[in-house]
Each structure stands twice: as C-alpha cells, then as structure tokens.
Amino acid sequence: MKKPDFSALARQNIRSLTAYEAKEIPCRVKLDANESPYAPDLALSSQVMASLNRYPDPQGLALKKALSKEYAVAERQILLGNGSDEIIYNLIIAFGGPVLYPVPTFSMYGIISQAIGEQGIGIPLQSDFSLDLRKMLAAIRKLQPKIVFLSSPNNPTGNSFERKAIEEILHVSDGIIVVDEAYQPFSKEKSFIPELKRFSNLAVLRTFSKIGLAALRLGYIIADEGMIAEVNKVRLPYNVNALSQALALESLCRKTESRAGVKKIVAERTRVVKELKSMPGVESCPSDANFILFRLSNADAVHKALIRSGVLVRNMSVMIPDALRVTIGTPDENAAFCAALRTIIKERS
Ligand SMILES: *Cc1c(COP(=O)(O)O)cnc(C)c1O
C-alpha cells in the first residue's frame, strides 16, 4: 500500500494551517512564555492519590464551588477547561463564526477559528495598541460576529483596553463578547467579572497558567448560565484531570502565596521598564501584564544573540515589526536579561 498524501487528505482549512510553535529552545533564563518564575509549594493529598483508578469529578464541583465563592457568582455560571485554550475551542465549536478580534493579539483566536473552519476577522489596533473603537463597532454592525475576543491586558502588546470602549462593544453586539483576563491579576484595571450582572452577553475567561500553575492546564470561563449550558454540550467528558482539580483547589485556599508572587512580578516589571528605557534605541511599551513588549532595530539578530547569551525571549517580529516580548522573571533572571541586552546593543552600535 502506498503511503497516503496526508496533507492532501486533510481538510482544506487544515492544509494551510501551521501548528502552534511552542518551541522548546533550551536556555538558562527562560522568559518567553509568560509563565510565573515562582512555583507554588503544593502537595496532593493521600485521598487524591488513592483515587487515581477512578475518573475525575466530571463537573469539577469542588473547584467550581471555591471559584463561585471567590467571585460571588453561581456555580452554574462557571465552566472549567483544560487550559483556557480549550475553552476558546469549545466556544467556537458551540457558537461558530464569524469570530472577531483586534490584531495583533493572542494567536489562538485565529488559529482555532481556522482549524474549525470558521471565519476569523482581525481588526487592526491603533498605533498605540489601543482599540480602534470606530472600526470595531462598524465591523460588529456589518459582520455580526457570533464571538468577539478581547484580551485585556492584551497579549503580546501588554496594554489593557479602555473600559469604556469594551462597554460600548458590549452594548452594540448581539453576539458574545469574551474578555480574556489571562493577565488581569497583573493589571491596575479591575476585572470585568462584576459586570456580568449588567451584560448578559459578556463572558470572562481566566486561567491559572500565568499565576504559577501553567503545568496544570486549567482555565475557566464565567458567564450567563444559559451561555455556559451551550458550551457545556460540546465539552468533552472528564476534560480536567483530578490532579489539576485538586491542586488548583489547594492554590485557591492559599491565595496569599500566589498574590505575593504577583506583587513581586509587578514590582520587577517597573524596574525592567526603567532599564529598557535607559538603553539606546529601545522603545518599550507600557505593560499591565507579566511581560513587556519592546522594539529595537534588528530584532531577529538581537533575539538570536540573546539566545547565545542564555536568555530566551519571544520574537514577535512576524506579528509586529522589530518587536520582542520578554516575560518578567525573578530579579536575578531580569538582571541577566537586562545585562545581556545592554551588551548586545553596545556591541552592535
Ligand atoms: C496564555 C494565554 C491564554 C492561554 O492560557 P491557558 O489557560 O494556558 O490555555 C489565553 N489567553 C491569553 C491572552 C493568553 O496569553
């Protein structure tokens, strides 16, 4: 039997898709994936370990109960996902497209839309990376998207979108507005979760990934219970494993620890911004998240030179010309990054 041409066998929309590169370049200082540098000190109970032969709680009730207390919402307003990525996937499966989002933003909104065969529409941000409200509203009126994704703070630009602008989009849209708050814990802006009382078309997406528990793959969405019921229909059974459920629950019980980590990262962010500002030819963008986008000439070459110095940052220059994105790490990691970048700039000038 001849080996099939798998690419030709794949659906049309899959053929032109490229796999999300979660590249693993080994580096001493890893500042490319917006992870927290602080691993919480959690342990699994003997009760959890004694039940590994059983399927996990399919609804994740204990965790949902804790989250409902934390945010003063009903348990039926919460859905858990194997990472918030999975929830983005389930939302688009359940409601379909068109799917609209500002660009540049988190690439999964577009990748998942294409994978499912739904139209993804990117509306360019303004040059200061704020929402182009006029264009957004016009596109929403004209194209009637089923879902709008707003990452606020936005990955990879780092800024939060203006609250008034998001509220206007909520008012105008007949579809679902997902405010992706993956980075909200690092922001000076308040969460949109309390706004769920005012807007039934609002959904707030959250994750444990950026606050110290990326390995768990655990995200959740909070929305109107009618919306949650529809998404729940396409959720695969047992999508969140028992170990992740138990560890996330434990981390919620020990909030002070994760808050302390966030506080340290926010303080370090101020320091790194100041350092970047003092480097000739480097333009850094204001950040409300646990990373900073910065621009300089020859970003590709600088990215490679940083890797040679043992520092891995994310090269964003395909999406944003001359842009690199650095995640805030420990004070030592940040110092290593700043020293390496300073040296590289000096050598190149
Ligand atoms: C990292 C990230 C996510 C994905 O989070 P997971 O819960 O790890 O899947 C979602 N949205 C944005 C904007 C992100 O940057």
Side-chain angles (χ1 to χ4, degrees):
M1 196 194 121
K2 200 166 110 246
K3 180 174 162 173
D5 180 350
F6 293 110
S7 169
L9 211 51
R11 283 158 54 213
Q12 182 68 47
N13 49 309
I14 304 299
R15 257 175 259 165
S16 55
L17 202 60
T18 41
Y20 183 82
E21 26 75 44
K23 265 191 227 136
E24 288 292 330
I25 303 169
C27 259
R28 191 167 43 86
V29 178
K30 191 180 180 312
L31 301 174
D32 67 317
N34 297 347
E35 298 147 327
S36 169
Y38 305 112
D41 183 18
L42 302 176
L44 289 162
S45 72
S46 51
Q47 198 190 341
V48 172
M49 295 309 283
S51 312
L52 292 179
N53 58 319
R54 302 293 177 190
Y55 278 109
D57 173 355
Q59 311 293 343
L61 277 181
L63 180 54
K64 279 206 249 181
K65 190 170 225 161
L67 290 169
S68 84
K69 272 215 187 102
E70 170 87 12
Y71 296 116
V73 296
E75 284 161 45
R76 277 176 307 186
Q77 288 183 270
I78 307 172
L79 183 118
L80 306 177
N82 191 341
S84 46
D85 285 350
E86 187 191 48
I87 298 175
I88 297 166
Y89 199 92
N90 285 340
L91 276 165
I92 301 173
I93 292 266
F95 296 104
V99 177
L100 190 134
Y101 38 83
V103 284
T105 192
F106 187 47
S107 56
M108 292 313 291
Y109 309 141
I111 292 173
I112 293 173
S113 299
Q114 189 182 344
I116 296 172
E118 295 291 350
Q119 188 191 8
I121 302 158
I123 306 292
L125 292 168
Q126 310 208 65
S127 58
D128 65 352
F129 299 136
S130 61
L131 283 174
D132 191 330
L133 188 59
R134 200 179 49 79
K135 276 204 195 118
M136 288 289 288
L137 295 178
I140 289 167
R141 287 201 178 94
K142 184 162 165 234
L143 305 166
Q144 296 287 316
K146 293 277 181 59
I147 311 174
V148 176
F149 284 102
L150 301 170
S151 164
S152 186
N154 187 39
N155 180 10
T157 58
N159 57 307
S160 295
F161 296 137
E162 218 186 314
R163 217 177 169 83
K164 276 260 157 57
I166 298 177
E167 289 189 8
E168 221 173 306
I169 289 169
L170 279 159
H171 275 297
V172 161
S173 177
D174 295 323
I176 292 162
I177 309 298
V178 180
V179 178
D180 185 341
E181 293 191 336
Y183 302 99
Q184 193 280 333
F186 306 98
S187 169
K188 58 186 182 312
E189 297 291 330
K190 288 206 177 70
S191 169
F192 263 78
I193 293 171
E195 308 300 335
L196 289 164
K197 289 200 182 75
R198 288 171 60 208
F199 300 101
S200 54
N201 59 340
L202 169 66
V204 180
L205 191 57
R206 289 273 189 148
T207 179
F208 285 90
S209 293
K210 313 295 155 72
I211 52 170
L213 293 168
L216 300 192
R217 304 303 301 125
L218 192 46
Y220 51 100
I221 191 163
I222 310 179
D224 179 87
E225 58 179 78
M227 190 195 305
I228 296 295
E230 296 307 314
V231 186
N232 196 40
K233 290 180 189 172
V234 301
R235 182 178 63 88
L236 293 177
Y238 312 114
N239 61 326
V240 179
N241 73 74
L243 310 186
S244 293
Q245 288 187 32
L247 289 169
L249 189 56
E250 203 194 327
S251 89
L252 282 179
C253 299
R254 299 213 259 137
K255 266 186 308 214
T256 39
E257 205 182 319
S258 103
R259 286 218 182 111
V262 168
K263 238 177 148 170
K264 277 192 265 187
I265 290 164
V266 170
E268 275 295 298
R269 182 179 72 200
T270 310
R271 218 173 57 79
V272 176
V273 166
K274 213 165 146 191
E275 285 254 11
L276 287 171
K277 285 219 162 97
S278 75
M279 297 181 202
V282 177
E283 185 203 334
S284 71
C285 306
S287 172
D288 235 3
N290 67 340
F291 58 83
I292 300 165
L293 188 81
F294 61 100
R295 286 194 267 203
L296 75 183
S297 51
N298 300 309
D300 283 338
V302 172
H303 179 247
K304 287 201 186 86
L306 279 169
I307 292 172
R308 283 196 296 275
S309 326
V311 180
L312 185 62
V313 301
R314 183 67 72 96
N315 188 352
M316 290 279 129
S317 56
V318 176
M319 214 188 261
I320 306 167
D322 285 331
L324 302 177
R325 189 194 69 192
V326 62
T327 305
I328 304 299
T330 63
D332 283 352
E333 289 171 327
N334 303 331
F337 158 71
C338 290
L341 183 60
R342 216 179 267 286
T343 305
I344 291 163
I345 290 170
K346 205 172 279 168
E347 280 168 2
R348 298 185 67 88
S349 66

